């Protein structure tokens, strides 16, 4: 095991503030199914990819890990005859790694995992990798102990273990990870991360299975972006906290705008390409405008369209004598604007070809070059930054809010000169809210969710499952109604297709793709219903600073609560109905009952076949 | 009374979040002296200016309002024979105005004042000016009612009434204010604001007294900067909240830095020229460095000195393999750097001469011009912005953090090339924390302090005092130990002197000057004691989000708690000692007692005379 100077701070005890101390003593509750040391596992049917057309591609890419069943964890006394009780709990050695950017609550996954491991066999060991994926490759570790955990329980950041990049992907990386798992004799490797990390976890699981490596790989959905969301995953750890911290700040700025009545605040929010954070924050704080990347993509709005939209809104407000307001901009907006996306793709391509940053602008196509030169120098510099992870650009560094504020100012001045706008001068103040929320103390919801997910990880490995993600569903209900389970990561994958390329239709590698905001979903509908009053009436709402006691302490994301998800719960319920039919229509039942059953089931299967065909338009909605 | 479209939103009922609702129901406690409707006023000795040398200048400028006694408000049953009970409470008409930038808790001053007014005579009226000082000049008003207050109790912002500038100063403004007070038949005008507003309040009081205008003027110390601080004022309303909100964000960024270990965060903090906010936030969150303007001023550090200091610190950290950290920069730093101050003064002078922004750079002296051209374009543009209030520049718009980060990067690259630095590349991320804290829900301390100050305002006007500021002292103790009083604003004034000008020594107008961080004070000492461990050991501390219940909810600023103030309490205590001596050494006492008293008092007076002489070095410390 390597050890360098930088390791010395990891897991070090530290001085906590009174609130941090109080939080360190908070003990999250477990749902009934995970209480005690005896948990049953019930296997569902084999999980398939949501898009039937992708299933074949995925099953070919993942022969060892695709098509495995869902697992539900139930309490010992659950009345399910088929469920297996995992009775033996041998000593296990488990590794855990933070993969990618910190998200509030990450430490609690480790705590939950530790508690579950130790509760089942006190001789088992939990080993943390230091410095994220780099530590995994280099076998830099520390043993997680109760003492090391004590000052990190319910605390923010990833500083107990540190983190680096979110990718375990190149041949060298995968080999190094396997060497580590074998050298440390790990029974399981738990990877805490977002879409990229979980995709890589699935690939690692497949490679391990193929190579007969004994280590099982388990993924955990932890990312502040909230964009790991699918039929099995309702939300990610950290999203609630980030939205609460940001909503508080947005609301403060709204109050500020209303008090001084002279500024427009343009606020960019961290959250990568999808606009989940911006949507949730808008629902919590009611700013005047929010420009969702998904809307821009769908309507194919250009940067000039967006500028005009904002200017029209400003003008409408000026007519009621209002010269202040707040506009939210997701950091991913820049990628949703068609011409900017094309430009970023071109720059990305040049990066990949090894063209140096200084030379990129001279290698751009005439069209892209013209657009590039249209932008002010600060944006040009930022567009050229080398991207991290799977993004085509360094979204957190591109100051779209400043660009838009500048374009809006130019347009408003133009309208003023032309006489079409007669109001006061437009004044903007720009903000980027990201880093200041990422290290926040996690909300109660994130503490609970992460801790329970940590427990689920143990049960996944105790059941011997490989390439699965820990899931907790029915999250909008109280903890005692939460349902714990696990799904193969491969069943969350989709395949991207690009038509019209020179080689005909091209397909990408199967991956857990980022979920975008569902423009048919209830959360978006709620925003749309209120958008004109948000715009004109300044009905700002301040959720206040994140509370740990008293009013507000128990709230959950609005976008989680308005949606009607619990997919895992419904899958189980369906199973129960099918069992019930079976038990009623047993050999010996009356001819009438049998006929009725046949007729009813024939019509059900026909309807479902039609609905599941690729040509059925409603298919993509989860 | 004027009424325009923009008024319609003021005082409007609005949708509150669950936390806002709960806060709206919070009822601050009153200290015993203000409970019930009978309050005694005890007058102390005439209050003098802290600097004897200024007294003459001030008394000449304020013949009607200088040299008046301190007032202490005591409970009905207090055993103080000289105290007057204000028994009559006729109907009064009181105006209140938010002057200058919003500070959390401002609404509670109005609420406290309203409650006190109505408790003493339900027919009295409280009139709020709409849109700040502009509303005062233009007689735009609304009557404050219990209903209007209900959704603004314990809430942030100034949006119940709005605000504009912090000055009531020009002849037109003073005339307009007087006309308003007379037209509305106001018995008192309460001005809520910081140093500038309170200086102007004193001037208004003097002018009103001279013009036999019946309206009494009362000032209230409310500013997020915490720079209205003197022998009578321990802290200002809003400072606690701002420091808590900012410390939370700074701590989150510290956690973030420690998790990713690759960025230096340069964070600039709002707070105008003095560094109180930066000092308090550093004590709460333990960042690696904080560069106080007062230290820079005292040591006359140039921008290049500061850059080198930061680079040396970075290098020391790099030697222990640390490439992350957090550096705090007060927004006023830019004015504390000697050469930048000189440049800003030159620009300010050109602004005052009416030189347009485009032409200023060509009018600079050769020296200033060379410095100006040394800066990157974004800073040049910001240095030229027209200042607000009494500042020589628009501090909130000058991105000193970016300038320093850029200079540090250049210097680190240079050291790397020269081979004196061998570590990794320096990466900076810059933040400005200001607007996102200013509109925050006020902390319990600020809610309580502001509410009690509001009550004190009523007792000042009931006692018929003019040109006084409401004061509450012994604030670090629980509310039931708080002492309420009032001091003439003129006694908080000082006079600035500049020697060496062509006309010999020049003196400025008496004013309540901003208090700078006391480099001999206990709060600064605490920072110095810990600065090397803060720098090297990453002992970040996260006070967490502002809490309203549970741990942390009752905390107060560290800089308030470590200091041993309660000046008003000591003044009273001294008075009691003198009374005691008088009562012991009455005619008829023994010759020995009289001799002992004479001898003791002779030595006391001699010592105090020496200490109070202008040549005694310790005189300026409060």
């Amino acid at each position: 095991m390597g050890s360098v100077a930088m390791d010395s701070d990891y897991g070090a005890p530290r001085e906590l503030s009174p609130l941090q101390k109080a939080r360190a003593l908070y003990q999250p509750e477990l749902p009934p199914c995970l209480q005690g040391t005896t948990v049953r596992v019930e296997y569902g049917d084999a999980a398939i990819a949501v898009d039937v057309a992708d299933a074949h591609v995925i099953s070919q890419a993942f022969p060892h890990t695709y098509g495995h069943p869902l697992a539900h964890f139930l309490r010992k006394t659950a009345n399910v005859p088929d469920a297996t009780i995992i009775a033996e709990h041998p000593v296990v050695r488990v590794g855990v790694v933070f993969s990618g950017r910190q998200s509030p609550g990450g430490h609690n996954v480790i705590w939950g995992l530790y508690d579950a491991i130790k509760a089942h066999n006190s001789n088992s060991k939990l080993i943390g990798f230091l410095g994220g994926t780099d530590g995994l490759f280099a076998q830099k570790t520390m043993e997680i102990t109760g003492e090391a955990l004590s000052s990190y329980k319910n605390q923010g950041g990833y500083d107990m273990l540190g983190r680096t990049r979110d990718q375990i992907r190149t041949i060298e990386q995968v080999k190094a990870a396997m060497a580590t798992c074998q050298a440390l004799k790990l029974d399981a490797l738990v990877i805490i991360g977002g879409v990229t990390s979980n995709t890589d976890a699935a690939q690692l699981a497949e490679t391990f299975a193929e190579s007969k490596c004994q280590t099982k790989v388990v993924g955990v959905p932890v990312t502040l972006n909230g964009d790991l969301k699918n039929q099995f995953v309702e939300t990610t750890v950290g999203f609630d906290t980030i939205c609460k911290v940001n909503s508080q700040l947005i609301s403060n700025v709204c109050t500020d705008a209303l008090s001084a009545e002279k500024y427009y605040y343009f606020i960019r929010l961290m959250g990568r390409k999808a606009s989940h954070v911006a949507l949730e924050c808008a629902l919590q704080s009611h700013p005047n405008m929010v420009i969702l990347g998904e809307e821009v993509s769908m309507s194919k709005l250009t940067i000039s369209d967006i500028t005009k939209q904002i200017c029209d809104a400003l003008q409408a407000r000026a007519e009621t004598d209002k010269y202040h307001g707040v506009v939210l901009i997701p950091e991913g907006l820049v990628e949703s604007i068609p011409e900017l996306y094309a430009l970023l793709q071109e720059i990305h391509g040049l990066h990949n070809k090894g063209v140096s940053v200084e030379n990129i602008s001279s290698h751009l196509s005439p069209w892209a070059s013209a657009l590039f030169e249209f932008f002010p120098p600060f944006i040009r510099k930022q567009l050229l930054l080398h991207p991290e992870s799977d993004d085509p650009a360094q979204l957190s560094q591109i100051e779209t809010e400043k660009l838009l504020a500048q374009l809006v100012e130019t347009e408003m001045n133009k309208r003023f000169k032309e006489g079409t706008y007669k109001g006061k001068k437009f004044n903007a103040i720009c903000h980027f809210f990201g880093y200041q929320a990422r290290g926040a103390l996690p909300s109660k919801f994130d503490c609970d969710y992460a801790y329970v997910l940590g427990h689920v990880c143990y049960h996944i490995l105790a059941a011997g499952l490989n390439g699965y993600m820990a899931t907790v569903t029915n999250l909008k209900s109280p903890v005692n109604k939460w349902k714990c389970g696990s799904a193969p990561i491969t069943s969350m994958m989709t395949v991207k297709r690009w038509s019209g390329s020179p080689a005909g239709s091209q397909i990408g590698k199967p991956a857990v793709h980022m979920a975008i905001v569902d423009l048919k979903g209830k959360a978006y509908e709620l925003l749309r219903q209120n958008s004109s009053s948000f715009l004109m009436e300044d009905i700002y709402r301040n959720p206040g600073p994140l509370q740990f006691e008293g009013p507000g302490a128990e709230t959950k994301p609005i976008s989680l609560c308005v949606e009607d998800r619990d997919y895992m719960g419904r899958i189980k319920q369906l199973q129960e109905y099918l069992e019930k039919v079976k038990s009623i229509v047993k050999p010996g039942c009356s001819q009438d009952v049998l006929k009725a059953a046949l007729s009813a089931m024939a019509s059900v299967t026909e309807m479902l076949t039609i609905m599941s065909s690729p040509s059925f338009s409603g298919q993509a909605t989860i």
Side-chain angles (χ1 to χ4, degrees), chain A:
Chain A
M1 264 179 256
S3 169
V4 292
M6 66 176 279
D7 296 350
S8 58
D9 283 348
Y10 289 124
R14 55 202 181 140
E15 189 197 331
L16 299 181
S17 72
L19 183 63
Q20 281 183 299
K21 276 185 201 152
R23 290 306 297 155
L25 297 175
Y26 170 72
Q27 175 64 52
E29 197 187 332
L30 281 178
C33 61
L34 299 185
Q35 286 169 13
T37 52
T38 317
V39 169
R40 281 167 185 251
V41 193
E42 183 196 11
Y43 294 104
D45 291 320
I48 55 163
V50 68
D51 191 336
V52 183
D54 296 342
H56 181 64
V57 182
I58 301 170
S59 79
Q60 281 203 318
F62 295 91
H64 300 84
T65 49
Y66 181 74
H68 291 200
L70 297 187
H72 302 278
F73 299 107
L74 310 171
R75 58 179 136 180
K76 188 186 171 188
T77 55
N79 186 16
V80 181
D82 293 355
T84 327
I85 294 187
I86 311 266
E88 281 191 36
H89 290 277
V91 171
V92 289
R93 292 173 59 81
V94 181
V96 63
V97 63
F98 284 130
S99 180
R101 302 180 197 180
Q102 50 273 36
S103 187
H107 286 136
N108 271 27
V109 174
I110 298 184
W111 178 26
L113 176 59
Y114 175 84
D115 277 2
I117 288 175
K118 292 289 181 180
H120 289 89
N121 192 321
S122 62
N123 293 320
S124 291
K125 288 216 182 311
L126 179 59
I127 293 152
F129 290 103
L130 298 176
T133 47
D134 280 358
L136 171 66
F137 307 141
Q139 301 186 31
K140 289 197 287 188
T141 63
M142 69 172 245
E143 190 185 330
I144 310 277
T145 62
E147 200 200 336
L149 271 168
S150 63
S151 66
Y152 293 92
K153 291 176 180 174
N154 306 306
Q155 309 294 323
Y158 277 6
D159 44 326
M160 186 170 84
L161 297 177
R163 64 91 171 169
T164 39
R165 283 169 67 88
D166 60 350
Q167 291 172 338
I168 312 172
R169 183 170 298 181
T170 66
I171 294 174
E172 293 72 34
Q173 287 172 342
V174 171
K175 272 191 186 162
M178 191 163 3
T180 296
C181 291
Q182 285 169 331
L184 299 176
K185 298 193 173 58
L186 296 186
D187 297 287
L189 171 66
V190 175
I191 296 174
I192 297 173
V195 286
T196 306
S197 307
N198 276 285
T199 298
D200 290 353
Q203 187 58 61
L204 211 59
E206 179 67 26
T207 310
F208 283 11
E210 195 186 340
S211 315
K212 309 250 183 303
C213 167
Q214 294 305 312
T215 311
K216 312 296 181 201
V217 182
V218 179
V220 195
V222 180
T223 164
L224 64 90
N225 309 317
D227 57 359
L228 203 180
K229 203 170 170 181
N230 53 48
Q231 60 271 51
F232 309 109
V233 180
E234 296 179 359
T235 188
T236 49
V237 172
F239 178 71
D240 181 52
T241 305
I242 292 295
C243 293
K244 280 178 175 154
V245 174
N246 281 333
S247 295
Q248 168 207 355
L249 299 179
I250 294 163
S251 308
N252 290 350
V253 168
C254 290
T255 303
D256 202 73
L258 195 55
S259 299
E261 298 194 302
K262 58 181 180 177
Y263 294 120
Y264 272 97
Y265 293 90
F266 281 54
I267 301 176
R268 183 166 49 105
L269 292 168
M270 190 176 265
R272 292 180 71 178
K273 178 151 185 189
S275 309
H276 301 286
V277 173
L279 172 59
E280 175 63 29
C281 289
L283 292 175
Q284 289 193 24
S285 61
H286 305 181
N288 300 97
M289 286 185 90
V290 52
I291 302 170
L292 300 182
E294 289 80 355
E295 285 180 313
V296 169
S297 280
M298 196 193 59
S299 310
K300 296 200 172 40
L301 299 180
T302 63
I303 186 107
S304 142
D305 294 333
I306 298 170
T307 306
K308 285 193 183 121
Q309 234 174 45
I310 299 175
C311 291
D312 291 349
L314 263 49
Q315 218 167 325
R317 287 179 58 81
E319 277 160 25
T320 64
D321 210 20
K322 285 178 177 156
Y323 295 95
H324 63 273
V326 174
V327 181
L328 296 192
I329 296 158
E331 69 174 2
L333 179 68
V334 66
E335 274 196 43
S336 305
I337 302 169
E339 72 271 27
L340 261 164
Y341 179 75
L343 172 61
L344 285 171
Q345 288 293 341
E346 240 185 72
I347 293 171
H348 191 44
L350 292 168
H351 275 304
N352 288 348
K353 276 187 195 154
V355 178
S356 73
V357 168
E358 298 73 41
N359 293 324
I360 284 182
S361 68
S362 59
H363 282 70
L364 291 172
S365 68
W367 174 88
S369 179
L371 179 65
F372 187 74
E373 296 302 327
F374 161 77
F375 291 124
F378 73 92
I379 287 283
R380 275 185 269 179
K381 199 173 151 193
Q382 293 161 357
L383 291 173
L384 292 178
L385 291 172
H386 216 288
E388 291 183 342
S389 186
D390 290 350
D391 294 319
Q394 254 197 57
L395 295 180
S396 57
Q397 306 297 323
I398 303 178
E399 298 175 305
T400 330
E401 76 286 14
K402 287 198 181 161
L403 174 63
L404 280 175
Q406 204 164 310
L407 295 175
V408 166
E409 188 176 4
T410 308
E411 171 72 15
M412 291 307 281
N413 288 344
K414 184 173 147 260
R415 292 185 184 190
F416 189 82
K417 272 181 199 151
E418 291 170 357
T420 51
Y421 170 69
K422 298 181 195 339
K424 293 189 201 167
K425 199 179 166 336
F426 163 79
N427 283 310
I429 293 180
C430 294
H431 282 292
F432 174 46
F433 292 164
Y435 299 101
Q436 58 268 65
R438 225 167 55 169
L441 286 184
S443 66
K444 275 178 100 164
F445 173 75
D446 278 329
C447 288
D448 294 348
Y449 182 29
Y451 182 77
V452 173
L453 281 171
H455 273 262
V456 173
C457 289
Y458 173 76
H459 296 288
I460 293 173
L461 77 95
L465 303 175
N466 182 33
Y468 275 65
M469 193 187 294
T471 64
V472 178
T473 53
N474 200 24
L475 287 169
K476 67 177 173 180
S477 300
V479 177
N480 62 18
K481 306 261 188 228
W482 286 5
K483 290 166 193 161
C484 299
S486 186
I489 300 174
T490 50
S491 67
M492 303 175 190
M493 289 184 169
T494 48
V495 178
K496 288 208 174 169
R497 291 174 165 75
W498 301 272
S499 53
S501 79
S505 121
Q506 240 191 322
I507 65 164
K509 281 183 82 166
V512 181
H513 286 107
M514 164 208 80
I516 60 171
V517 167
D518 180 4
L519 298 184
K520 293 177 196 152
K522 291 196 180 171
Y524 179 72
E525 193 187 321
L526 191 59
L527 178 70
R528 275 309 105 203
Q529 280 166 357
N530 290 289
S531 59
S532 71
S533 52
F534 285 4
L535 174 60
M536 297 306 295
E537 293 163 28
D538 298 354
I539 45 170
Y540 306 135
R541 178 181 176 275
N542 196 333
L546 204 163
Q547 297 297 293
F548 295 110
E549 290 186 27
E554 305 291 341
T555 57
K556 295 172 184 176
I558 295 174
S559 51
L560 175 71
C561 295
V562 297
E563 272 171 33
D564 184 25
R565 300 182 67 90
D566 194 20
Y567 184 92
M568 293 287 272
R570 291 207 183 101
I571 283 274
K572 264 207 96 274
Q573 213 182 341
L574 176 71
Q575 225 167 15
E576 284 160 20
Y577 279 119
L578 296 177
E579 290 300 327
K580 194 91 185 248
V581 173
K582 247 196 205 164
S583 76
I584 297 170
V585 198
K586 278 206 173 122
C589 71
S590 78
Q591 182 72 282
D592 286 351
V593 167
L594 184 57
K595 270 186 182 167
L598 274 179
S599 147
M601 293 309 292
S603 92
V604 167
T605 48
E606 190 181 359
M607 175 195 71
L608 295 175
T609 308
I610 293 169
M611 284 185 67
S612 306
S613 76
S615 59
F616 189 76
S617 68
Q619 60 145 336
T621 311
I622 299 159

